[in-house]
Amino acid sequence: MTVLKAELARLAKGMFADPIPAAPSVELTVAPAQVEDAAAILRFASKVGLRVLFWGGGTHQGIGNAVAPDIVMTTHRLDKIVDWQAEDLTIVVEAGVTVSDLEAQLQQRGQTAVLPESPAGATVGGLVAAGLSGWRRLRYGPTRDRILEVVLATGDGRVVRGGGPLVKNVTGYDLPRLATGSLGSLGLIARLCLKLWPLAADRGMVEVADPQMALRTAYRPLAVIETTERSVAYLAGTRAELEAQAARLGGRLVAGHRWPEPLAGPREFVLRVPAGEIGWFVDEMRVNEWAFQAAHGVGEVRLVVDRGDDEQLARLREEAENLGGALVAYSSPEDGVFDPWGAAPESADLQRRVKAAFDPAGVANPGILPGGI
Amino acid sequence: MQLSLGPTQAQLDSCVTCGLCLPHCPTFRLTGDETASPRGRLTAMGAIAEGAVAADEVYARMLSFCLQCRACEAACPSLVPFGQMMEGARARLARERPTTTGRIRRLLVGKLLNLKWLLALVTSGVGLVQRLGIMRLLPRRMRLARGLRRQRVFPHSAVGVHDVAPAVPAGSVALLAGCVMDQWFPAVHDATRGVLSMAGYKVDSPETQRCCGALAAHEGAERDAARMAERNVTALQGYDYIVSDAAGCSAHLKDYGHWAEGGGSVAARTRDITEFVAELIDTGRLPEVDGDGGEVAIHDPCHLRHAQRIVDAPRKIVRAAGHTPVEIDPDGLCCGAAGLYMVYEPDTAEALGERKREQVEMAGPTTVVSANPGCEIQLRAHLGKGYRVLHPIELYWEALNR
Amino acid sequence: MALVDDLRSTLGSDRVRSHPLELIVYDKDAGVTRGEVLAAALPETTQEVAACVRIAAAHGVPVVARGAGTGLAGGSVPAEPALLIVLTRLNQIWEVDEVARTAWVGAGVLNLDLSRATEHLGLHYAPDPSSQAACTVGGNVATNAGGPHCLAEGTTVAHILGVEFVTSDGDVVLLGGKAPDPPGLDLRAVVVGSEGTLGVVTKVLVKLTENPPAVRTLLLTFDSIQAAAATVSGVIAAGIVPAALEMMDQPMVVAVEGFIKAGLPVEAAAVLLAELVGLEEGAAAEAAVVERIATAAGATSVRVAADESERAVLWKARKNAFGAVAQAAPDYYLHDTVVPRTKLVEVMTQIYEIGERNNIRMLNVFHAGDGNLHPLVAYDRREPGMSEKVRAAAEEMVRISVAAGGSLTGEHGVGLEKRDLMGLVFEDVDLDAQARLRDAFDPNGRMNPGKVLPAGARCFDFDLMAGQDGGSS
């Protein structure tokens, strides 16, 4: 045992980091600055069976089954913007770059990576690992459609690259999309190439009475969001386009975008259902008096509930699952009352085998996926 | 004239196997089977030509399953002459691997169709059967008789008719009377002659003409087809235009360059009645008639739309007759008649006929125009009593006489 | 032969092809390679497909799935003798959800039929490969097919929400679904573009896209390829992502005009087809910017499609380009490389130089807007030494594309054709990871073996237990 510890200490030299207060307490916290260093730790971990928890900004660690780690690996030293090809609308970044830094830089040249609007400190790698898409998904599609290339330090300690830094590419299996939303179950997402979009000239909002009708009348709005208080269509384009959209919607154009404030509460959930079915669920939210934000046309509802609403939640989950959807916990998975994922997917067996292809020893965020994969 | 048998190497080379023809092929659409597709048939022809496999009954079946609608040809960006290749392949197969059924079929289309007395006899028979109401006793393969117009017991023919020339004729026209067209659709010929005379043309239907030979060519009876072409080249010389009111015949006349010495001249002078009349309407030599604008469904015969690429003309005529043309099929897929195909391949013909019926029913109108006799028979057989099916020239002639 | 007997007893004899001539008909796609087919089965349901997979397994025979056979990379051509499962008969459109803008369709539904079936709802299926009139949605899923309009909308994978999938064991599972981001790994994304090497997709849940209220289609002519390429780079750099931005060079325009007779500018050295969509206000403004950039780059003429029928003719010209090549020569060979859009001018110049140096006939038509090149060589394979020369030149074009930071394939897939070039873009360890991923789906190597990954992709030297020397540390 001491031999192993000594070896680990030797490997981790130069990577030691202070323990992260919000993370589970572990003996070793490492912050590799090179993907090869991360791979070396994982290779060792695989060899001796130490569980590794990956940590970005810690803003979305509540997603998924709890991991009981032996090692925490953070990405805060993987923080470089490697290559920005502004004229090709692509950028290569390391996982630990924060979303706010990246988007601020991109904005200076009129571009965006369309990453989710996120709390301070959220990292690109973390959000991609969590598979999160922002409000603008309705117009630009999910985040995974903009991940062009990924470099992984796999669970068994290899440095594997998939995809390529090109806007169109079908060479080989789609590792970038597989890694998106994998929650670290395949290994550490160390570097990414993102597809960028030019920012529209202007932005505006129109309050609408019927969000489903707004989806049909506006031409490809960025988002149509219904909250407890109101429904708003978010628009982008030239001034003339915005005015035309507002006329179609029959509402008053307000300049700029104000996205809904993040919901905070004892228990956060995301409900995902077929876009056409969202109405029933929104009605349920209102009946239960839960704070919610519903993305129409996408089929996603963010909600916070109090402890003690388990019966209603169970009913909501059952309805969602009957429609092929899910109710996923985004916070306090450890409260034990509610499984964070719900029913295991029918492809669980395949998923287990795919994880094993990258992480045969099961050390990379073990058990975090549905079905304890 | 030297007839080349089978597809030539140059023809086979002209296909790059891109597959863009596939969705346009009715038999491929029905079966999803590459062996029933134009590209598959060409590949098979190539394999036989290379000697990779022997021509056997499977090959024969692949060839005979083709409707020869030539929709693939119109869709082909590489301009593969599929129709000619299929005719050549069938002719070669007939020579190298003769079968009894094949011989009977070729005898029918190569020889018997030219026996006017025999056709007349059949027509009388049909007329009698229709009057006796015993249609349903006919065998399955003969069900197409359901789609026939009511026939005369004493048929009349347009062959040998010479209409009176106008004082200053606009030109001379030879009407190709055709075989079944002449016997079973005399009213179409009447309308054609009427319209052309009205436009100032002197219309003859020369005595020495024969069947155009299209069916013989499709069936691989290439020597008979060539003989008929030669006869017609002579019979049709001297006329400014040669007009046919059966799309299958006009399409074949336009191919005469491959079939007989002097055939090129026939081809150059040939017009389908629809394109001829549409042009006369365009130039103001024939009038546009006011009508109630009633909707008329347009059926595009394959040998009009695909083989001759004539699409606008029938629509123009329908409009000139005071009606509103209604589309039934964006792809112009074959109705399943395809000459004698509906007799040889009743199942496929039936399936395609039903598709066409559904399309017509979806479109709405109960009057349907078709510029080819085979299609008309098939449409009438499938659409049943509530529908009127006729040649666009008849619709126009009716309007002119209103 | 027992394989055929078992298939016949399951499907009936009319849906199994096994005669030598029939097998020749099925032994290639729209590309140049031939393979060996043991039998071709035409199932009609997912359960029948699953049965075919199990029958093949019982006989130890590999399985290759095929759609309409319009692929250009040999994806559906067996690399070793195999059972061909032809999916054209799974051609039902099961459900169109107008509100959610999705449809469940059989793998054998034709791409264009799907758009036609949803036209009355103001919706369409966005990926539009040039073969869209003929190719199947299932085939599109297998290759992650592209098309001109993938520039703004993304390739097939961005439009596939779920698939019904027959595993290598003959089980049926749903991957993905109608609700966004189903929990767990996104196996749907891995299956899209996997060229039938993981299993067989029988049903597809597609996303439908709203038809734009306004469309501007521009035909721009140039007296040099470089000027056209510079326009492309300029448009992207100006922050405009057109719906489509396509280039054709002179030899290609001449070939297409021979078929379409639409009065295309056959005298121009290069032609760009640009399409801007959106609200009337947006499309018009963007079209004006594109026109300005083109003029600055030396465009010799600008033609704006006056109406839908003129637009249709322009697109028909573009989409029939490959097929029209036989007018130039009986065979063609083309690649599908992608380069960064900033490198377009440089790479195109090199590609023409390769053509000239080798004295081969080259035609170009490609998705310039996303840097997806299709250098196409027209030749006659019977000319001695020609095939080798063409392949060598084509490979050189691939190498210079990769050297410019590009990739092997943007939309046609790796298939047989580019399999052995995978080492140009991936390290051994990357290919090994892909091989492991494949093995997770198909441990016995029965699904379309010999495709995508080169032989020897599995590098056992990387074995974990071999210690730390396996990689750099």
Side-chain angles (χ1 to χ4, degrees), chain B residues 9 13-20 22-24 28-35 39-40 43-44 47-48 50 52-53 56 58-59 62 74-79 330-331, chain C residues 17 19-22 24-26 28-31 34 42 66 68-70 86 88-89 110 113 116 130-131 133-134 258-259 319-320 322-327 330 332 382:
Chain B
Q9 194 56 47
D13 284 348
S14 66
C15 174
V16 288
T17 69
C18 68
L20 291 181
L22 265 60
H24 300 274
F28 178 76
R29 286 311 278 260
L30 275 185
T31 61
D33 187 351
E34 183 77 28
T35 67
R39 181 176 62 177
T43 304
I48 299 294
E50 276 172 25
V53 277
D56 60 2
V58 171
Y59 178 57
M62 281 174 69
C76 177
S78 283
L79 316 176
D331 289 326
Chain C
R17 300 274 164 264
H19 183 278
L21 183 63
E22 295 172 327
I24 288 175
V25 164
Y26 273 112
K28 72 186 286 291
D29 57 12
R34 306 195 90 101
L42 290 130
R66 174 186 168 110
T70 56
V86 182
T88 47
R89 292 177 79 94
L110 301 186
D113 280 359
R116 278 188 184 167
S130 295
S131 58
F259 164 61
K319 291 186 175 178
N320 279 281
F322 291 150
V325 169
Q327 293 174 61
Y332 69 77
R382 286 161 306 191

Side-chain angles (χ1 to χ4, degrees), chain A residues 7 10-11 36-37 40 43-44 46-47 85-90 131 133 137 141-142 144-145 156-163 165-175 177-178 180-182 185-186 195 197-198 212 215-216 218-221 238 240-242 244-245 248 272-277 297-300 323-326 328 341 345-347 350-351 353-358 360-361 369-370 373, chain C residues 99-101 143-144 146-147 150-155 157-158 165 167 169 172-175 178-181 183-190 193-194 197-198 209-213 233 236-237 239-241 277-279 281-282 338-342 367 370 372 405-414 422 425-426 429-430 432-434 436-438 440-443 452-453 462-465 467-468 471-473:
Chain A
E7 198 176 339
R10 182 180 65 81
L11 273 177
E36 289 78 12
D37 294 342
R43 195 155 53 238
F44 182 80
S46 276
K47 195 165 152 187
Q85 293 289 330
E87 300 202 336
D88 200 26
L89 293 169
T90 63
S133 299
R137 177 180 189 152
R144 58 163 49 88
D145 286 349
D156 58 0
R158 304 146 189 262
V159 177
V160 169
R161 187 176 63 84
L166 298 152
V167 291
K168 189 178 186 187
N169 186 19
V170 298
T171 312
Y173 298 118
D174 198 338
L175 297 192
R177 280 188 177 82
L178 177 66
T180 308
S182 64
S185 63
L186 309 177
K195 178 180 176 174
W197 279 90
Q212 284 292 325
L215 279 179
R216 286 191 288 274
Y219 175 67
R220 302 184 88 168
T238 60
E241 282 177 289
L242 295 186
Q245 293 270 45
R248 280 167 159 246
R272 301 198 176 109
V273 294
E277 313 280 355
V298 172
E300 192 172 271
L323 292 165
V328 178
W341 295 110
E346 58 178 270
S347 60
L350 268 179
Q351 300 209 19
R353 276 147 60 182
V354 168
K355 173 178 166 74
F358 292 84
L369 293 179
I373 295 166
Chain C
V99 180
R101 292 177 176 151
T143 55
N144 189 4
C150 291
L151 174 53
E153 303 292 350
T155 50
V157 65
F165 179 73
T167 67
D169 301 325
V172 179
V173 291
L174 169 73
L175 305 177
K178 225 174 183 182
D181 304 331
L185 293 172
D186 185 10
L187 301 187
R188 163 208 68 100
V190 181
S194 65
T197 59
L198 306 180
T209 302
E210 190 179 352
N211 295 344
S233 303
I236 301 295
I240 292 179
V241 180
V277 304
L279 293 168
E281 294 78 2
V338 193
V339 298
R341 292 170 284 198
T342 45
H367 311 304
D370 34 32
N372 188 186
S407 189
L408 298 182
T409 170
E411 54 181 16
H412 297 174
V414 176
M422 286 287 273
V425 284
F426 288 117
V429 63
D430 305 329
D432 177 64
Q434 301 212 11
R436 284 164 181 250
L437 174 59
R438 176 186 191 145
F441 281 85
D442 179 24
V452 182
L453 298 175
F462 284 99
D463 196 302
L464 181 68
M465 295 310 162
Q468 297 154 36
S472 52
S473 54

Side-chain angles (χ1 to χ4, degrees), chain C residues 69-83:
Chain C
T70 56
L72 291 161
S76 63
V77 178
E80 50 188 84
L83 167 66

Side-chain angles (χ1 to χ4, degrees), chain C residues 160-363:
Chain C
I160 304 301
L161 303 173
V163 293
E164 186 180 80
F165 179 73
V166 176
T167 67
S168 60
D169 301 325
D171 294 332
V172 179
V173 291
L174 169 73
L175 305 177
K178 225 174 183 182
D181 304 331
L185 293 172
D186 185 10
L187 301 187
R188 163 208 68 100
V190 181
V191 165
V192 177
S194 65
E195 305 188 33
T197 59
L198 306 180
V200 182
V201 170
T202 52
K203 235 190 238 184
V204 187
L205 179 66
V206 301
K207 183 173 106 182
L208 299 169
T209 302
E210 190 179 352
N211 295 344
V215 180
R216 285 284 189 290
T217 308
L218 276 61
L219 188 74
L220 309 155
T221 62
F222 299 86
D223 49 21
S224 76
I225 294 284
Q226 283 72 17
T231 301
V232 172
S233 303
V235 168
I236 301 295
I240 292 179
V241 180
L245 192 50
E246 301 283 305
M247 198 193 293
M248 272 197 258
D249 68 5
Q250 186 176 25
M252 189 53 101
V253 173
V254 170
V256 180
E257 178 61 16
F259 164 61
I260 202 151
K261 298 182 178 67
L264 298 178
V266 289
E267 70 294 336
V271 165
L272 272 186
L273 188 58
E275 190 154 279
L276 294 313
V277 304
L279 293 168
E280 178 59 36
E281 294 78 2
E286 290 193 339
V289 176
V290 169
E291 194 175 331
R292 200 162 61 234
I293 291 169
T295 310
T300 47
S301 78
V302 179
R303 167 173 157 193
V304 183
D307 54 24
E308 184 53 37
S309 69
E310 190 178 354
R311 172 177 178 256
V313 168
L314 292 177
W315 279 114
K316 190 176 175 192
R318 165 60 187 88
K319 291 186 175 178
N320 279 281
F322 291 150
V325 169
Q327 293 174 61
D331 300 291
Y332 69 77
Y333 189 73
L334 87 159
H335 268 298
D336 173 40
T337 65
V338 193
V339 298
R341 292 170 284 198
T342 45
K343 300 282 174 61
L344 263 182
V345 178
E346 174 189 325
V347 173
M348 286 309 295
T349 307
Q350 283 176 283
I351 281 179
Y352 279 99
E353 191 272 321
I354 293 169
E356 241 160 69
R357 176 156 41 79
N358 288 285
N359 194 24
I360 49 178
R361 185 154 193 192
M362 199 171 52
L363 302 87

Side-chain angles (χ1 to χ4, degrees), chain B residues 6-9 11-12 37-53 55 59 62-64 66 68 80-90 92-93, chain C residues 21 24-25:
Chain B
T8 63
Q9 194 56 47
Q11 287 174 333
L12 289 168
S37 79
R39 181 176 62 177
R41 289 168 183 136
L42 293 178
T43 304
M45 289 177 201
I48 299 294
E50 276 172 25
V53 277
Y59 178 57
M62 281 174 69
L63 296 188
S64 69
C66 170
Q68 294 178 298
V80 174
F82 184 89
Q84 276 180 37
M85 294 171 78
M86 179 54 76
E87 286 172 358
R90 285 185 177 188
R92 163 169 279 181
L93 187 71
Chain C
L21 183 63
I24 288 175
V25 164

